Amino acid sequence: METLKVDYWDVEENCQKQRDMTVDEIAQRELDLAQAAVLVVPTQIPMLNARLALIAAGWMTAVKTYTDTMTGVEGEQARAFLEYALNVRRDHWMVEGFRVALDKTHAEIDELFIASTAYG
């Protein structure tokens, strides 16, 4: 069985790390996933909401690192998208790029889009 991980910020080392999820965290995740299954994933959200959800999930640093390391026109487009887009669509090529670069599942990205609706 695969061990589930959770991202957290290590204050002493001033960096993002991962640790194994506790039994309670796994149980809560299962409940959250069951609830998310009945929720509709938004096809588009405001970029501010997306950024706030990325911050809350602990993914923003990794997203910025990913876009900062991209080169050429694609890198410029990615940085412009992240900084200046008013909205972000679930099916946008950058969302898929972030998903792959951060090694996230489609379900985790769906959860992020759903969570972003709380920042209204």
Side-chain angles (χ1 to χ4, degrees):
M1 182 175 160
E2 181 181 340
T3 304
L4 296 175
K5 303 284 185 183
V6 63
D7 294 329
Y8 72 98
W9 187 260
D10 186 317
V11 177
E12 292 177 7
E13 294 185 26
N14 197 31
C15 65
Q16 185 173 326
K17 291 187 172 183
Q18 282 191 338
R19 64 170 172 76
D20 292 345
M21 287 181 125
T22 66
V23 172
D24 289 341
E25 288 171 330
I26 293 170
Q28 183 61 52
R29 182 177 188 275
E30 293 300 319
L31 284 172
D32 292 344
L33 287 173
Q35 290 174 345
V38 298
L39 297 175
V40 175
V41 178
T43 57
Q44 179 173 293
I45 57 175
M47 181 56 91
L48 175 59
N49 292 39
R51 291 175 69 95
L52 292 172
L54 286 166
I55 292 166
W59 300 356
M60 183 54 95
T61 300
V63 167
K64 283 185 175 182
T65 300
Y66 170 64
T67 58
D68 288 345
T69 60
M70 294 176 73
T71 59
V73 173
E74 189 175 77
E76 290 296 320
Q77 289 175 337
R79 287 183 287 282
F81 173 72
L82 189 61
E83 293 297 321
Y84 301 109
L86 298 178
N87 297 297
V88 57
R89 292 187 51 83
R90 174 64 181 89
D91 61 357
H92 192 278
W93 67 270
M94 281 304 307
V95 173
E96 179 63 9
F98 293 150
R99 184 192 72 74
V100 172
L102 273 60
D103 195 29
K104 302 298 180 187
T105 65
H106 289 284
E108 288 173 306
I109 301 301
D110 289 345
E111 289 173 25
L112 188 83
F113 268 65
I114 292 168
S116 76
T117 61
Y119 303 101

